[in-house]
Each structure stands twice: as structure tokens, then as C-alpha cells.
Amino acid sequence: MPGLPGNGENLPGGWSVNYGDTSPEANPDAQAAFEKALDGLTGASYEPVAYLADQVVAGNNYIIFCRVTPVVPNPAPAFALVKIYADLNNNASVTDMTEIDFTGI
């Protein structure tokens, strides 16, 4: 991912790319933040596919690659990078969602 240093260390303010086990279960903190941030979100279901990176700030940011399935008849699933912020008080929220468009590849 451009702009993300891959040193694997959690440095305050710096992104760490996950080069290890990318299964969402590999990082329980990221998985818990994902579940909390998406709890109650309607219109689509979000299935975490891979935990990609984290950033230590006043809390943590996480980037998770997801399969997104709209809640409509005959849905066409898509993929997105979901950025989640988990604060120091155990709150979590989605701060960015970028759909991945594979049609131009």
C-alpha cells in the first residue's frame, strides 16, 4: 500500500503494515474495533477479509480489507478498505471507506 512503511513496528504516528498473518482474527484488538465500529451500520454487510495495517495515535487506527454486500435483492458484492479509529476509552468508529474498483485492472 503506497505511503505505508513496512517496518512492522508500531511507532507513534507511523503506519505499520501487517506482513504476518493477515486473517482478521490475527489481531484481536483490530477485530474488536471492527465489530464495535460497524455495529448497527445498516445498508450493507461487511465481512473482514484481511487485517492490513495499524497506526498508533491517541488510540489506534486500523485498515481492514472487506467484502461489502449491499442489503438488496440480488446483491453484487464489492470490496473496500475500511479505516477504523479505536480511542483509549474503548470506542470505535469508521473514519474512511474506500471502495476498490477492479474493473480498470
Side-chain angles (χ1 to χ4, degrees):
M1 196 176 219
L4 298 179
N7 59 12
E9 298 176 18
N10 283 347
L11 302 174
W15 281 98
S16 292
V17 175
N18 177 17
Y19 289 112
D21 182 355
T22 61
S23 65
E25 303 82 27
N27 185 319
D29 293 333
Q31 184 172 1
F34 176 84
E35 290 170 4
K36 183 170 275 201
L38 292 162
D39 184 42
L41 194 61
T42 60
S45 67
Y46 296 83
E47 175 189 348
V49 175
Y51 154 63
L52 301 179
D54 63 62
Q55 179 187 40
V56 177
V57 289
N60 286 297
N61 286 314
Y62 300 102
I63 296 178
I64 299 175
F65 182 66
C66 297
R67 176 190 315 265
V68 182
T69 306
V71 181
V72 296
N74 303 315
F79 292 93
L81 293 176
V82 178
K83 183 177 174 186
I84 296 168
Y85 171 66
D87 68 19
L88 299 174
N89 295 316
N90 203 26
N91 299 305
S93 60
V94 174
T95 58
D96 190 49
M97 195 174 299
T98 304
E99 187 172 338
I100 307 295
D101 181 6
F102 291 105
T103 60
I105 296 177

